[in-house]
Amino acid sequence: MNVFERLQYIDRRIMYALLVVAIAVPLIWRINLPVVVTPAVKGVYDTFEKMPNDKIALIVVYWGAGTVAETGPETSAMMRHLFMRNKKFALLPFDPQGSKLATDEAKALAKKYGKKYGVDWVHWGYQPISNLVPLLQSFPRDIKGTFKTDAYGTPMNKIPMMRNVNTIDDIGVIADITSSGELDTWIAYIYGSYRTPMVYGPTAIIAPEGFNSLDAGQIKGMLMGMKGAAEYEKLLNAEGFATRAAGALSTSHLLIVILIIAGNIGYISSRRRRER
Amino acid sequence: MFHWLSDSHVTTAVTIWIGALGTLAIYSILYKENPIYRIAEHVFIGAAAGYGIFITWVEMLKPAWWDQITQGRWYWIFALIAGAMFYFIYSRRYVWISRIIFGVLLGLVAGGAFKGFVGVNIDRISASFKPLYGKGLTATEIANNALFIIVLLAVMAYFFFSFEHKSPIRRAPAQLGRWCLMFAFGAMFGFTVMARMSLLIGRIYFLLHNWLHIAQ
C-alpha cells in the first residue's frame, strides 16, 4: 500500500484530533475572516427594525442544552437587538432547558442595557410542546386569558408592559427559535390566520426546511444556525460568541474538505492499482 | 462550616468543572466505548429528565392546574380524569375507555392538520407562480424566476410515475430533476455538517473559555 492509498485509511481518532486543533486554534488566536450578510438574515433585522414601538415581539424558545451553541447566539442576538432599539419582548419557551438558558441570557443582557423585567421584557412561562396547538388557537384572541400569570406567578394585569397587550394585534413580530420542525404549525395557525410577521431561527440542520416559507413570504427572514447569528451580530455591530466562532466554523469546514479530497485520492489510487 | 457553598464564585466554579468533566467524559466515546462515557450519558439523561419534570410542575401544572383546584375551581379535576383515560390502553378489559380520549384527540389533530395544510401550502403554491415578464422586473430576476420554474417542473417530472420515462422527451426532464434533487440534498447535507461543527465549536469554546480561560 503506497502513501496515497493510505489516505483512505486514516484512523478516525487522528481525524478527531485534527478537528479539535482546527477548531481550537481560531478560538484562541482570532482569525478575522469576512462575514457576508445574506438577504435572509437582513430580513430578520429589518423586520425587528420596522416593528412599531407600541407593539411587543414574541420570542419563542424551543431549544435546549443540546443545540445551545447555535440557537443560543440566535436568541441572544435578537434580544440584544430589541434592547438596543428600546423595544419590548416576551419569552415563550416550549423547552424547560431553553427556558432557563434564555432567561439567564435575557437577565444578563437586561443588566448590560439597563432594562427592567416587566417593563422591557417578560417571561410568559414555560409551556409543554404538547400544548402548542391549543395555545395557538387560544392566545391570539386573549393573551391574558391564556397566560394568566408570568413565569414567576405575577398576574399578567400587574405587569406594566402587558397592560396594553391583549390580542395578537398587539404583537409586532413572532420569532420562532427552534431545534425542531414546528414552524409549519405556527404558520398554519398564526401567519395563515392573522398575518403577523414571523422570523425564523432554526439550527442549521433544519434550516433548509425554512426556505419554502421564506420564498413564499410566510417568514420575513431566517438565521441559519451559528453562521446566521454571526451575520446578525455584524448587522448589530455587536460582536458575540457567534462572530468568534465563525473563524472556527471556516477552518473546520476546510479540514473536512481536505479530508474528503484525501480520501478520494486514496480511493482512486487503489482502484488504479487494482485495474493494473 | 458549609458557608462557602453559598458563595456564588464557588458554585460557578463547581458548575464549570462539572460541565467540563462531563463534556470530556461524553467525548471519550470518540476514542472508544468506555464506562466513563456511559456514566456521563446516564447522568445527563437523568438530570435532564428530572429537571423537565420539576419545571413542568413548577411552571405549568402547579399554576395552571393544581392552584386552580385548590382555589375552588374543582372542575379542573376533569383534566386529570381525561389524562388518566389514556393509561387504560394498558388494560385489555378497559381499553375502550382509552379509545374515547384517543378518538377525541385524533379528531382534534385531524381538524388541525386540515387547517394546517391549507394555511401552509396555499401561500407556497401561489409563490411558485413566478412572473417571467412585467414592469419593474430586472434581467437577473427574470433569469432567476425562469431557473426556478425549470427546476420545479424538472423535479415534478422526476416524481411523475404514471408512465415509464422511455422516450427522451420524458426522460431528459426527469434526469434533470434527479440532478437538481442531488444538488439540493448535497446542500442540505452541507447544512447538517455545519450544524454538527457548530455544536462541537460550542463545547470546545466552553472548555477553552469558561474552564481553561485561554480563549477570549
Side-chain angles (χ1 to χ4, degrees):
Chain A
M1 194 185 290
N2 64 29
V3 179
F4 293 117
E5 285 172 33
R6 281 184 190 176
L7 288 174
Q8 60 178 329
Y9 299 110
I10 302 171
D11 191 313
R12 64 185 169 84
R13 282 165 287 205
I14 292 171
M15 288 195 267
Y16 291 140
L18 287 172
L19 192 58
V20 169
V21 172
I23 288 171
V25 167
L27 290 176
I28 298 169
W29 295 285
R30 188 178 169 150
I31 298 174
N32 281 321
L33 293 171
V35 176
V36 180
V37 178
T38 51
V41 175
K42 184 75 168 50
V44 178
Y45 181 86
D46 289 342
T47 309
F48 280 122
E49 286 283 311
K50 285 176 195 161
M51 187 182 89
N53 278 355
D54 60 338
K55 294 191 177 190
I56 68 162
L58 178 61
I59 296 183
V60 179
V61 175
Y62 186 29
W63 52 267
T67 61
V68 68
E70 289 197 285
T71 44
E74 289 176 345
T75 313
S76 175
M78 287 186 196
M79 293 193 296
R80 185 188 287 238
H81 188 186
L82 291 160
F83 278 148
M84 285 166 83
R85 299 287 184 269
N86 296 317
K87 293 180 180 187
K88 302 171 197 307
F89 68 83
L91 282 181
L92 177 57
F94 287 95
D95 185 291
Q97 294 173 1
S99 176
K100 168 89 173 87
L101 294 166
T103 306
D104 288 350
E105 185 63 15
K107 282 178 182 171
L109 287 170
K111 196 176 173 186
K112 186 178 176 184
Y113 290 98
K115 302 293 177 185
K116 278 185 180 172
Y117 179 81
V119 177
D120 301 295
W121 72 284
V122 67
H123 189 310
W124 281 2
Y126 158 71
Q127 303 290 326
I129 194 65
S130 54
N131 239 8
L132 181 62
V133 171
L135 272 180
L136 297 187
Q137 288 177 317
S138 164
F139 94 84
R141 284 170 290 195
D142 183 10
I143 292 172
K144 286 170 190 159
T146 308
F147 307 101
K148 292 187 173 62
T149 65
D150 72 349
Y152 309 105
T154 310
M156 285 288 192
N157 283 323
K158 292 187 177 171
I159 296 170
M161 68 165 271
M162 289 300 294
R163 213 161 278 154
N164 297 318
V165 178
N166 297 306
T167 66
I168 192 116
D169 293 335
D170 302 311
I171 295 175
V173 179
I174 295 173
D176 182 24
I177 305 168
T178 178
S179 58
S180 186
E182 86 297 344
L183 174 69
D184 281 1
T185 313
W186 278 92
I187 290 171
Y189 288 94
I190 300 297
Y191 184 80
S193 301
Y194 305 100
R195 299 281 154 180
T196 307
M198 284 194 68
V199 294
Y200 192 36
T203 52
I205 204 164
I206 58 165
E209 293 172 23
F211 283 109
N212 285 336
S213 305
L214 192 66
D215 199 44
Q218 293 167 324
I219 52 173
K220 308 300 172 201
M222 174 165 71
L223 307 183
M224 287 150 280
M226 187 189 277
K227 183 181 172 291
E231 292 172 34
Y232 205 101
E233 286 176 2
K234 190 185 178 188
L235 281 172
L236 294 176
N237 204 17
E239 193 179 286
F241 164 68
T243 308
R244 282 206 62 82
L249 204 56
S250 300
T251 50
S252 61
H253 279 66
L254 188 65
L255 176 69
I256 288 167
V257 170
I258 290 168
L259 289 172
I260 289 170
I261 291 169
N264 277 277
I265 289 170
Y267 171 72
I268 292 164
S269 182
S270 62
R271 199 173 67 175
R272 277 189 184 163
R273 176 190 275 232
R274 275 201 305 272
E275 281 169 1
R276 268 189 257 125
Chain B
M1 187 181 171
F2 294 106
H3 288 309
W4 58 274
L5 274 175
S6 59
D7 184 347
S8 63
H9 294 290
V10 174
T11 50
T12 305
V14 169
T15 310
I16 288 170
W17 269 88
I18 292 171
L21 295 177
T23 304
L24 293 174
I26 291 286
Y27 279 130
S28 68
I29 187 72
L30 298 177
Y31 185 73
K32 66 175 185 179
E33 170 73 39
N34 64 81
I36 293 171
Y37 163 74
R38 272 188 236 160
I39 291 167
E41 185 189 28
H42 285 77
V43 167
F44 175 74
I45 293 170
Y51 182 69
I53 292 168
F54 166 77
I55 212 81
T56 301
W57 173 256
V58 170
E59 288 197 21
M60 178 67 203
L61 287 175
K62 188 176 179 297
W65 177 70
W66 180 252
D67 288 350
Q68 303 293 324
I69 295 172
T70 53
Q71 286 163 12
R73 287 180 277 275
W74 57 269
Y75 44 84
W76 273 95
I77 199 76
F78 288 115
L80 179 67
I81 295 168
M85 285 168 75
F86 284 103
Y87 291 96
F88 282 97
I89 196 169
Y90 298 112
S91 163
R92 278 189 187 179
R93 193 171 173 187
Y94 298 108
V95 69
W96 60 271
I97 296 173
S98 71
R99 284 189 193 127
I100 296 169
I101 195 74
F102 272 117
V104 171
L105 186 75
L106 287 177
L108 287 169
V109 171
F114 180 74
K115 180 183 167 68
F117 179 83
V118 175
V120 170
N121 290 312
I122 294 295
D123 283 337
R124 289 180 187 170
I125 292 167
S126 63
S128 299
F129 293 91
K130 293 188 183 291
L132 292 178
Y133 64 92
K135 272 187 181 176
L137 273 180
T138 63
T140 316
E141 285 169 339
I142 290 169
N144 200 25
N145 289 356
L147 184 66
F148 178 91
I149 290 166
I150 290 166
V151 172
L152 178 72
L153 293 176
V155 171
M156 286 175 74
Y158 175 74
F159 284 109
F160 196 74
F161 300 129
S162 297
F163 47 79
E164 280 189 75
H165 300 162
K166 276 183 178 173
S167 74
I169 296 170
R170 290 170 191 164
R171 196 170 59 231
Q175 278 182 335
L176 176 64
R178 191 176 165 202
W179 275 97
C180 292
L181 281 168
M182 284 198 277
F183 278 123
F185 293 146
M188 286 167 78
F189 185 67
F191 273 104
T192 305
V193 172
M194 187 165 79
R196 301 297 179 219
M197 287 304 113
S198 301
L199 302 183
L200 179 61
I201 290 166
R203 289 326 295 165
I204 292 178
Y205 184 73
F206 169 76
L207 293 175
L208 296 176
H209 176 76
N210 300 51
W211 187 44
L212 298 174
H213 304 289
I214 55 173
Q216 286 177 358

